[in-house]
Amino acid sequence: MKAKKNALAQGFMRCHDCGYLTKTIDQHSLCPRCDSHLHARRPRSLQRTTALLFSSFFLYIPANIFPIMTVNQFGAGDPHTIIGGIIELIDGGMVPIGLLVLVASIVVPSSKLVGIGLLLLCAHFRWQINARRWTVMYRVIAFVGRWSMLDIFMISILVNLVNSGSVQIIAGPAATAFAAVVILTMLAAENFDPRLLWDNQQNL
Amino acid sequence: MHSTHYDACPECDLLLRAAQPNIGEKAHCPRCGFLLSRPRKQSIERTFALSIAGFISFFPANLLPMMGITLLGNANTGILMSGVIALFNEGMIAVAIVVFLASILFPLLHICLSLLISGHLYFNRPHRHLIKWMHCMHHLDEWVMLEVYMLSIIVACVKLMALAPLEFGWGLYAFIALIIITTLLSSNLDEALFWQRIDQLGKENQP
Ligand SMILES: [Zn+2]
Ligand SMILES: [Zn+2]
């Protein structure tokens, strides 16, 4: 039995931009309140999310292999990768800050990649799941994404302040890759439509 | 049809009777728990006031030095923009642009848009671009990352304190004020109410 409680099943579409509910299922109509295009679900949600997810997955590899910044001290360069910087913080006794950076730059991006992947598989293969729990997972993924920019902003502060002839911090190629990963996963989360999880449930 | 008596949950598409919670109460979707509406007291007035305060504090936060460090006799001070310029000079153009957008341009645009919209609604003035402004503000919201920047400042300070003593300037205090104001602003801005008022204004002023 297909869910009858859904607005779409009863002939309503909700505007993505202003939230106005319209009694139509014509996919070419415009919202009467704000003139945006009406869509029952985000257009090509699964394809777009998959494309963004794969791009960010491939960029995640250089982001972790290449140095994110290099500390030049009296002529000797000391390149750091993302993980190297965290290990140095923890070795230096700054455990809470080290853990914070660990969460923001390793735990959040990698669990986002896995989480969005699972959401896509679930929507595509019509898994019968606890949709409420999965929607909460989607919400967490969408919320935490922006906090991964922590490392990028920190580099811009350090590059600017530590610049005195003999001691210098230089940003590395991983910074570009990592910034791209954060932005692409944010876009992937934005393009995923959690209503697809609910559409596939047989016993609602 | 009476579509305005109904509402649909944006995350699970459940068709609901439009909830009208009182001020201070919250309406959640019974099926997925999504926060459907949370009316705010004097949302338009407060948004207008907070937008003005945010607009005013934006300039000291961006123009006054935030912090300074003296390394081996060389003194360096930083503002938001100097970090962007330093990245740009090192050839990290893409990263420089991302930092510029997320920490300077988008916050400014967001404050300006909420100032324009709440100002027009406060004085009951219709404007043909109100809908466009609402769309822009809605899409910008996620890309304003001032609070993330604040956390980066804290982490950077901890790292730098091991190297040399730090000094904090008025720019940092203005920046903290700006973050508090923008947080209050986004929690007081009731998008559903704003859309209703824009709709009303448009209908009242149609010939
Ligand atoms: Zn609309
Ligand atoms: Zn719901």
Side-chain angles (χ1 to χ4, degrees):
Chain A
M1 192 177 79
K2 194 82 185 159
K4 279 191 189 133
K5 293 177 191 163
N6 279 359
L8 179 62
Q10 299 190 31
F12 289 98
M13 285 203 290
R14 185 184 186 277
C15 174
H16 282 309
D17 289 313
C18 75
Y20 191 75
L21 198 67
T22 313
K23 178 109 181 135
T24 176
I25 47 166
D26 176 15
Q27 297 276 349
H28 299 287
S29 49
L30 296 176
C31 172
R33 186 155 82 179
C34 76
D35 286 337
S36 335
H37 285 275
L38 286 175
H39 305 284
R41 300 288 175 263
R42 284 185 189 281
R44 289 186 292 285
S45 170
L46 293 187
Q47 289 97 316
R48 285 185 189 179
T49 312
T50 314
L52 290 163
L53 183 70
F54 271 100
S55 330
S56 45
F57 181 75
F58 287 118
L59 282 164
Y60 192 57
I61 299 165
N64 279 291
I65 291 175
F66 290 113
I68 196 156
M69 59 182 184
T70 305
V71 184
N72 277 335
Q73 222 160 356
F74 305 105
D78 179 14
H80 289 272
T81 56
I82 292 178
I83 301 168
I86 295 166
I87 292 172
E88 189 169 281
L89 272 174
I90 291 175
D91 279 349
M94 295 177 258
V95 178
I97 294 285
L99 289 177
L100 182 75
V101 181
L102 178 75
V103 169
S105 359
I106 308 264
V107 178
V108 167
S110 52
S111 48
K112 259 188 95 169
L113 289 173
V114 174
I116 296 173
L118 282 172
L119 286 168
L120 281 171
L121 289 172
C122 176
H124 183 259
F125 290 109
R126 296 162 191 277
W127 291 347
Q128 297 303 305
I129 37 94
N130 181 336
R132 185 169 177 141
R133 210 170 282 165
W134 283 63
T135 311
V136 170
M137 177 172 105
Y138 167 76
R139 255 171 238 159
V140 172
I141 288 172
F143 171 78
V144 296
R146 58 217 308 279
W147 291 95
S148 298
M149 288 298 274
L150 177 79
D151 240 16
I152 300 295
F153 292 145
M154 196 180 65
I155 288 164
S156 95
I157 297 168
L158 291 180
V159 160
N160 174 38
L161 285 179
V162 186
N163 183 14
S164 67
S166 44
V167 185
Q168 211 179 10
I169 289 183
I170 293 172
T176 310
F178 189 73
V181 170
V182 178
I183 291 169
L184 288 172
T185 49
M186 279 175 75
L187 288 173
E190 208 177 279
N191 271 286
F192 182 79
D193 194 332
R195 288 172 293 190
L196 296 173
L197 298 171
W198 294 87
D199 288 343
N200 298 333
Q201 302 309 309
Q202 317 261 286
N203 45 2
L204 280 176
Chain B
M1 293 302 290
H2 304 293
S3 55
T4 43
H5 296 305
Y6 288 102
D7 200 359
C9 172
E11 294 207 339
C12 74
D13 209 31
L14 180 69
L15 191 67
L16 310 141
R17 287 204 177 279
Q20 302 284 333
N22 295 320
I23 283 164
E25 287 176 357
K26 295 173 182 177
H28 288 275
C29 169
R31 190 162 73 170
C32 73
F34 182 79
L35 180 61
L36 290 164
S37 70
R38 188 175 54 167
R40 290 299 188 156
K41 207 169 156 189
Q42 297 172 310
S43 176
I44 291 167
E45 292 85 343
R46 287 186 184 186
T47 307
F48 186 48
L50 287 165
S51 308
I52 295 172
F55 189 75
I56 293 168
S57 60
F58 183 85
F59 294 96
N62 274 274
L63 298 173
L64 297 178
M66 284 177 118
M67 44 187 175
I69 189 168
T70 310
L71 275 175
L72 308 163
N74 279 19
N76 264 324
T77 54
I79 57 172
L80 282 171
M81 194 61 203
S82 61
V84 176
I85 293 167
L87 280 172
F88 198 84
N89 288 338
E90 285 186 4
M92 306 295 291
I93 295 164
V95 183
I97 291 170
V98 169
V99 175
F100 174 68
L101 293 179
S103 67
I104 300 176
L105 186 64
F106 287 169
L108 179 63
L109 269 178
H110 193 268
I111 290 172
C112 288
L113 286 169
S114 74
L115 183 63
L116 277 171
I117 297 167
S118 57
H120 276 88
L121 293 181
Y122 183 71
F123 293 112
N124 284 312
R125 294 261 174 92
H127 193 286
R128 64 201 163 95
H129 290 315
L130 271 177
I131 287 172
K132 204 186 281 171
W133 293 337
M134 276 300 280
H135 283 159
C136 289
M137 193 172 73
H138 181 74
H139 289 296
L140 271 180
D141 200 37
E142 214 195 334
W143 304 95
V144 175
M145 302 191 188
L146 289 179
E147 71 281 24
V148 184
Y149 201 98
M150 187 67 225
L151 194 62
S152 314
I153 292 178
I154 295 169
V155 177
C157 284
V158 172
K159 278 194 165 187
L160 289 173
M161 271 188 312
L163 280 175
L166 285 166
E167 290 153 31
F168 301 110
W170 282 105
L172 185 67
Y173 306 126
F175 186 72
I176 293 169
L178 180 63
I179 290 167
I180 295 171
I181 292 166
T182 49
T183 312
L184 285 173
L185 182 64
S186 54
S187 79
N188 275 291
L189 200 158
D190 184 350
E191 271 198 38
L193 176 79
F194 273 51
W195 277 115
Q196 276 172 24
R197 294 284 300 121
I198 289 170
D199 207 25
Q200 272 175 19
L201 271 181
K203 279 178 184 150
E204 281 164 14
N205 289 280
Q206 255 166 18

